[in-house]
């Protein structure tokens, strides 16, 4: 099954710091770099590198030609990509001495994914696909509802958080990918297994991927929970690790590989990605993942 990803495309402005800046505090960065990112771009590239047939639907700004090239260079189809006269979306990212990140996202052209564009995409599809989206573009609830109305599978990465997330049509989603913070926000529970239990009670048909950072991941399908531990590496930059996981997970899931293998492969890909600076450029190939050893 092919994938259509309604996703964000950002230019990441990355500052390496000793510690994150606090309220009223001015700090000096140790280094600065610009990288390609955005959850949508990262996930499309990860899907492609994991062997999926993926088309990206989204909007770049006047400064976004490099993002279009990045999609094409990674064998992602771009016939649903549009350009706006607005500035492109971007992110300001602090990376501290431990490799952890703190991110501010400016939506820019990513907030111009219109109902008209969404309808145009769905009217052009002549076969069922997996529709993927994240929470960095506009009209996400409409994307989900329209996808289900047209008979497509729906995957949703519920990141980043916003106040309206609880009102999204989760009953129309086939598989959701969340972290512990997002899970707690959605159901009020902090224990990972309680998060799965609460969400399963609300949405019994929803498959749930709950990422646990370095501890790995839990996957709930019906009444079955599968756990995969994380792989230990020395982190350099964790930016985009969850997106890398998402792409490799969905690619394997669509191929109907054994779920234990799918989770292990996705966790390996994510582990490799955090050993490299940057987001999109840190995503490994499937052959690199298969050759990964600890």
């Amino acid at each position: 099954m092919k994938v259509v990803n309604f996703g964000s495309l950002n230019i990441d402005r990355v500052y390496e710091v000793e510690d994150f800046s606090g309220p009223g505090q001015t700090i000096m960065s140790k280094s600065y770099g610009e990288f390609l990112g955005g959850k949508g771009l990262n996930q499309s590239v990860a899907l492609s590198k994991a062997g999926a047939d993926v088309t990206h639907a989204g909007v770049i700004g006047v400064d976004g030609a490099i993002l279009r090239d990045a999609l094409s260079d990674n064998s992602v189809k771009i016939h649903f990509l549009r350009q706006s006269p607005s500035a492109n979306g971007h992110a300001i990212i602090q990376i501290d001495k431990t490799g952890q990140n703190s991110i501010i996202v400016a939506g820019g052209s990513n907030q111009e994914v219109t109902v008209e564009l969404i309808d145009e995409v769905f009217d052009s599809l002549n076969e069922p696909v997996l529709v993927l989206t994240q929470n960095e573009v506009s009209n996400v609830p409409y994307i989900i509802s329209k996808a289900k109305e047209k008979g497509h599978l729906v995957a949703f990465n519920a990141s980043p958080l916003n106040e309206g997330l609880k009102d999204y049509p989760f009953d129309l989603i086939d598989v959701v990918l969340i972290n512990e913070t997002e899970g707690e926000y959605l159901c009020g529970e902090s224990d990972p297994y309680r998060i799965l239990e609460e969400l399963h009670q609300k949405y019994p048909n929803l498959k749930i991927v709950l990422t646990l950072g370095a501890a790995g991941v839990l996957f709930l399908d019906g009444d079955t929970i599968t756990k995969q531990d994380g792989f230990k590496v020395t982190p350099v930059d964790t930016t985009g690790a969850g997106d890398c996981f998402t792409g490799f997970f969905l690619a394997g899931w669509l191929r109907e590989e054994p779920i234990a293998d799918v989770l292990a492969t996705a966790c390996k890909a994510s582990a490799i990605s955090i050993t490299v600076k940057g987001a999109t450029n840190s995503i490994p190939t499937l052959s690199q993942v298969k050759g990964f050893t600890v």
Side-chain angles (χ1 to χ4, degrees):
M1 181 177 283
K2 297 178 180 179
V3 181
V4 174
N5 180 14
F6 285 88
S8 57
L9 304 108
N10 287 339
I11 297 171
D12 291 345
R13 294 163 184 167
V14 180
Y15 302 83
E16 188 176 347
V17 298
E18 186 70 13
D19 296 294
F20 299 144
S21 60
Q25 182 183 23
T26 300
I27 61 174
M28 293 291 292
S29 66
K30 295 189 290 184
S31 70
Y32 169 76
E34 290 193 2
F35 301 90
L36 305 185
K39 299 190 76 62
L41 174 64
N42 297 339
Q43 292 178 19
S44 282
V45 170
L47 277 157
S48 181
K49 287 191 171 185
D53 183 328
V54 56
T55 301
H56 195 99
V59 183
I60 56 173
V62 291
D63 49 344
I66 191 172
L67 297 164
R68 179 195 292 113
D69 293 343
L71 290 169
S72 293
D73 291 346
N74 285 283
S75 302
V76 178
K77 298 180 177 68
I78 58 171
H79 48 275
F80 293 142
L81 190 66
R82 301 294 179 262
Q83 185 160 20
S84 161
S86 305
N88 206 94
H90 70 270
I92 297 172
I93 303 173
Q94 298 179 77
I95 300 174
D96 72 7
K97 58 191 174 186
T98 70
Q100 296 301 307
N101 60 49
S102 175
I103 303 175
I104 300 172
V105 176
S109 56
N110 294 312
Q111 296 304 305
E112 297 178 28
V113 176
T114 63
V115 168
E116 289 75 20
L117 172 58
I118 296 164
D119 286 344
E120 178 188 344
V121 170
F122 283 117
D123 288 344
S124 301
L125 298 175
N126 54 18
E127 62 180 323
V129 300
L130 173 69
V131 175
L132 168 65
T133 192
Q134 315 80 31
N135 212 20
E136 285 186 339
V137 298
S138 51
N139 291 308
V140 169
Y142 186 79
I143 293 169
I144 294 169
S145 299
K146 195 70 175 181
K148 190 53 60 175
E149 175 190 321
K150 293 289 188 176
H152 303 293
L153 283 176
V154 179
F156 175 49
N157 176 207
S159 179
L161 282 175
N162 65 12
E163 291 184 359
L165 186 62
K166 289 182 180 179
D167 297 324
Y168 281 24
F170 282 90
D171 56 318
L172 302 181
I173 298 169
D174 294 284
V175 57
V176 67
L177 299 103
I178 56 175
N179 61 28
E180 292 171 278
T181 301
E182 293 147 5
E184 182 173 4
Y185 176 81
L186 288 170
C187 68
E189 298 286 348
S190 58
D191 177 79
Y193 289 92
R194 288 287 296 154
I195 290 172
L196 293 179
E197 182 180 343
E198 288 295 316
L199 289 177
H200 182 56
Q201 287 182 359
K202 290 182 179 179
Y203 311 106
N205 296 320
L206 179 65
K207 296 175 177 61
I208 304 167
V209 180
L210 178 61
T211 57
L212 309 173
V217 61
L218 296 172
F219 176 67
L220 174 69
D221 183 358
D223 295 324
T224 302
I225 296 176
T226 307
K227 186 178 191 300
Q228 170 63 53
D229 293 331
F231 295 91
K232 292 183 179 180
V233 295
T234 301
V236 173
D237 180 359
T238 58
T239 308
D243 301 328
C244 180
F245 175 94
T246 295
F248 274 81
F249 169 83
L250 290 173
W253 182 66
L254 284 175
R255 288 192 292 265
E256 298 184 347
E257 297 172 1
I259 194 61
D261 294 344
V262 173
L263 294 173
T265 298
C267 283
K268 287 177 183 179
S270 180
I272 294 170
S273 76
I274 69 174
T275 65
V276 180
K277 284 187 178 181
T280 304
N281 62 289
S282 72
I283 297 169
T285 63
L286 185 57
S287 61
Q288 287 175 311
V289 175
K290 288 181 176 179
F292 175 79
T293 57
V294 291

